[in-house]
Amino acid sequence: MNTAFINGKIYCSFKPLKVVEAMLIENGRIKFLGRREEILKLCKDSTEIVDLDGKVVIPGFVDTHVHLDELGIFLNSLNLRDAESIDDLKRRLKEFAKRCKTYWIIGYGWDQELLGRYPTKNDLDEVVKDRPVLLSRFCLHAGVVNSKAIEICEMHKFNKPFIDLERGIVKEFAYSLVRRKVRESFSRNELKYILKSAMDHVLSFGVTSVGFMGCRKEIFEILKEMNLNLRVFVYTRDFYEKFSNCFLNVKGVKVFLDGSLGVKTALLSEPYEDDDTCGCQLMDEYELEKIVRDAERKGYQVALHAIGDRAIDLALNVLEKVKGRNRIEHASVLRDDQVERLSKIDVVISVQPHFIEGDWWIAKRLGKRTRWVYRIRSLLERGIKVGFGTDAPVEPVNPWETVYYAVTRGKYEGLEIYDFTRDEVISVQDALNCYTINSAYVLMEEGNIGSLEVGKFADFIILDKDPLEIDEKDLKKIKVLKTFVNGKLVNECY
Ligand code: ZN
């Protein structure tokens, strides 16, 4: 199967910037890049010729950090973020129940302040009786369930302080238990459906490869059975398995060193500005070294979740002792001495620039340390490889949103974080470089993906605008018209 794409503005790579007008694809890989006449000379009778009509082509995006299962569940749940009254909530639930494909009906995002009061079991029972329902509060620390859910989860056995059976309200521990029951309740077919919807969603935004963080064995087994169009690089939490084909690949293991800034569990070297705590250490150095050395021996990469500067110290202490291209996830709060230490070892950083918007309150937590957050430019200037990700569903999959925040850092939204970190803005060209070849490097796949080069997979997207010629304010308006993986059209926007 040969296809020639001609008359385009094809960005093969962003650093160095390389642009051609035509490319030839053979059996899913790039065979030749160059001028239209050169390519046409190489075409055979059977070669399909596609006229790009001057459109812009770039390599497919590589998202280093997503949670496909959670994303799929999120996409198949009812959004109640702006529900304004109990009646409104009921109406939406009724409508959603009709099209919801999973047995459990899941919703999230309600706020009793907006609704006027807490929703109750009786409210839900009035709408859905025959299937279990769980609607989470926007904080994801509490939810309301219907009678069917109470029956299925045997909630009368739950610990009292966290559950109000009368009203169907579950909190904290009890809430987590229900969530786990929901997850465990999914049939193989439902999980397949959930994963497929997540992958289709990702592809529709022009993301052609992902790092799937914290993939469970059960989910991995299902992915193995599926016909994938998205390249999935798996970071496990409960199994090791040597497995690789051109769409599914086990890369490494994910380890948590701390929590998050939002709930003050990210581990800082000095207390939070608005609390006495320094956060939580989820693993000690000795234990971490054991895991990292074990992974090194078995030939796996380690991805260390480290947000606070103390957690990053911990990561550095261990990573300085071992060989291999290991990853630090988020690296949100970085002191100068740490940037220096990072530049001396073969470590790669997976950053989520959309957190800049998500963590708009960050100065409250960190005070003047806010100048140390998401230091993308400092890292790049020291030659450290920074790949981009979204942590979807935590932040939206759409790469243009991420590029926008990496380039503007809340300048137009008046975010405080911009005042502290305006020196950390990067160019669109740098952002696209991070999101393609650097992300590929983070996944140790730079030989196969991340740029359009002869011999690499033909993973690319066609855009409606040129990102390098657009006003930065309009970056989020860019549309991905078509997504190609292995030279095959896998998504088209109408
Ligand atoms: Zn994550």
Side-chain angles (χ1 to χ4, degrees):
M1 257 288 289
N2 288 3
T3 316
F5 291 82
I6 57 167
N7 301 332
K9 183 174 186 186
I10 302 171
Y11 288 102
C12 303
S13 63
F14 296 103
K15 288 210 136 179
L17 191 66
K18 188 184 166 200
V19 188
V20 298
E21 60 179 13
M23 66 180 164
L24 181 65
I25 288 155
E26 195 177 87
N27 299 323
R29 294 201 185 242
I30 297 163
K31 175 90 175 165
F32 195 84
L33 294 154
R35 284 187 297 120
R36 171 197 151 101
E37 305 80 63
E38 296 174 302
I39 302 269
L40 289 176
K41 252 186 254 161
L42 294 170
C43 289
K44 303 176 194 131
D45 289 344
S46 60
T47 307
E48 185 196 351
I49 295 174
V50 178
D51 189 340
L52 288 166
D53 202 18
K55 290 220 164 54
V56 171
V57 169
I58 67 170
F61 285 105
V62 179
D63 190 318
T64 56
H65 187 135
V66 300
H67 303 276
L68 285 179
D69 47 353
E70 297 289 339
L71 175 64
I73 293 170
F74 174 82
L75 292 171
N76 287 289
S77 57
L78 168 64
N79 183 356
L80 294 167
R81 262 263 131 95
D82 49 357
E84 285 169 343
S85 64
I86 297 290
D87 281 340
D88 185 23
L89 177 143
K90 284 200 258 186
R91 197 170 26 96
R92 291 179 193 211
L93 176 60
K94 188 172 177 186
E95 196 267 323
F96 180 73
K98 280 186 228 154
R99 59 188 165 87
C100 173
K101 294 238 179 22
T102 52
Y103 179 57
W104 269 86
I105 297 168
I106 308 156
Y108 79 97
W110 58 264
D111 180 355
Q112 75 279 5
E113 303 292 336
L114 281 175
L115 295 175
R117 65 168 169 84
Y118 271 83
T120 65
K121 175 182 82 177
N122 292 343
D123 296 325
L124 308 193
D125 283 348
E126 278 173 38
V127 188
V128 184
K129 272 211 177 78
D130 54 336
R131 290 157 76 191
V133 178
L134 166 67
L135 306 180
S136 298
R137 189 171 179 271
F138 73 94
C139 64
L140 297 178
H141 286 268
V144 58
V145 291
N146 68 347
S147 295
K148 189 75 183 174
I150 291 176
E151 179 195 319
I152 285 180
C153 297
E154 300 182 308
M155 287 186 209
H156 54 274
K157 292 184 187 161
F158 281 23
N159 262 344
K160 273 275 142 24
F162 298 112
I163 182 160
D164 179 345
L165 276 179
E166 204 58 42
R167 295 194 301 155
I169 302 286
V170 285
K171 287 180 181 167
E172 300 298 345
F173 175 71
Y175 170 71
S176 305
L177 217 60
V178 180
R179 295 243 308 178
R180 182 163 9 124
K181 291 262 187 199
V182 174
R183 266 204 305 275
E184 287 168 359
S185 80
F186 290 129
S187 67
R188 255 184 125 69
N189 277 337
E190 282 178 330
L191 284 171
K192 250 184 202 168
Y193 175 79
I194 283 166
L195 289 166
K196 170 119 178 40
S197 51
M199 292 190 281
D200 287 346
H201 180 77
V202 166
L203 286 167
S204 75
F205 285 104
V207 176
T208 51
S209 295
V210 297
F212 179 178
M213 306 310 287
C215 177
R216 285 176 293 130
K217 175 88 174 150
E218 180 197 12
I219 300 287
F220 178 67
E221 292 302 325
I222 293 171
L223 285 172
K224 275 206 273 192
E225 281 174 17
M226 293 174 74
N227 236 331
L228 306 184
N229 283 325
L230 175 74
R231 294 188 208 283
V232 180
F233 300 97
V234 166
Y235 292 81
T236 72
R237 53 179 185 211
D238 55 1
F239 70 97
Y240 280 129
E241 179 172 332
K242 289 278 179 211
F243 184 92
S244 85
N245 63 38
C246 71
F247 281 100
L248 186 63
N249 206 310
V250 179
K251 281 285 165 184
V253 54
K254 164 99 184 267
V255 180
F256 281 90
L257 303 190
D258 65 349
S260 77
L261 290 165
V263 292
K264 302 176 190 171
T265 49
L267 186 64
L268 300 173
S269 49
E270 305 281 335
Y272 281 79
E273 203 66 17
D274 55 351
D275 212 325
D276 290 334
T277 178
C278 284
C280 301
Q281 181 168 343
L282 300 183
M283 183 169 292
D284 68 46
E285 203 172 310
Y286 174 77
E287 199 183 344
L288 176 62
E289 184 168 343
K290 234 170 55 184
I291 294 175
V292 173
R293 289 203 185 276
D294 188 42
E296 184 188 26
R297 217 171 13 250
K298 291 179 172 142
Y300 290 99
Q301 213 182 359
V302 182
L304 304 177
H305 168 112
I307 287 186
D309 64 327
R310 177 75 196 106
I312 292 156
D313 280 333
L314 206 68
L316 274 163
N317 291 348
V318 173
L319 295 181
E320 280 170 347
K321 291 191 216 163
V322 296
K323 286 202 188 69
R325 194 190 294 173
N326 290 306
R327 309 172 39 154
I328 295 180
E329 305 304 305
H330 317 306
S332 307
V333 187
L334 271 182
R335 303 185 314 261
D336 289 342
D337 62 297
Q338 295 181 313
V339 177
E340 195 59 36
R341 281 173 80 183
L342 285 167
S343 72
K344 298 206 165 83
I345 54 174
D346 190 20
V347 66
V348 289
I349 317 285
S350 154
V351 171
Q352 291 66 38
H354 206 284
F355 283 178
I356 289 170
E357 191 247 21
D359 297 353
W360 55 272
W361 35 259
I362 206 164
K364 222 167 49 187
R365 296 273 188 284
L366 295 176
K368 25 181 227 309
R369 286 170 289 179
T370 306
R371 68 180 193 277
W372 292 337
V373 302
Y374 311 123
R375 303 183 66 176
I376 302 169
R377 191 191 193 121
S378 300
L379 289 167
L380 291 176
E381 276 175 357
R382 298 309 312 245
I384 301 158
K385 288 272 195 255
V386 177
F388 280 0
T390 57
D391 209 359
V394 176
E395 302 292 345
V397 168
N398 184 354
W400 300 110
E401 298 225 10
T402 288
V403 170
Y404 173 78
Y405 283 106
V407 170
T408 64
R409 296 187 76 96
K411 178 167 142 192
Y412 301 109
E413 291 75 20
L415 297 184
E416 225 175 332
I417 196 169
Y418 176 74
D419 300 327
F420 281 95
T421 66
R422 65 176 77 207
D423 291 342
E424 297 290 346
V425 297
I426 58 171
S427 66
V428 176
Q429 198 181 331
D430 273 325
L432 292 172
N433 197 58
C434 286
Y435 228 141
T436 52
I437 193 68
N438 276 11
S439 286
Y441 190 88
V442 167
L443 297 169
M444 303 207 290
E445 288 290 323
E446 71 276 15
N448 285 318
I449 56 173
S451 62
L452 303 175
E453 281 173 61
V454 173
K456 283 195 176 184
F457 288 127
D459 297 355
F460 60 92
I461 56 182
I462 302 179
L463 308 177
D464 69 338
K465 297 177 194 74
D466 187 338
L468 297 187
E469 283 180 10
I470 203 172
D471 188 294
E472 62 181 23
K473 276 190 228 151
D474 294 329
L475 280 165
K476 286 198 266 188
K477 291 186 194 152
I478 298 174
K479 292 254 167 338
V480 175
L481 302 175
K482 289 179 181 177
T483 305
F484 290 82
V485 175
N486 256 13
K488 195 178 98 186
L489 179 67
V490 293
N491 193 278
E492 189 165 5
C493 144
Y494 295 100

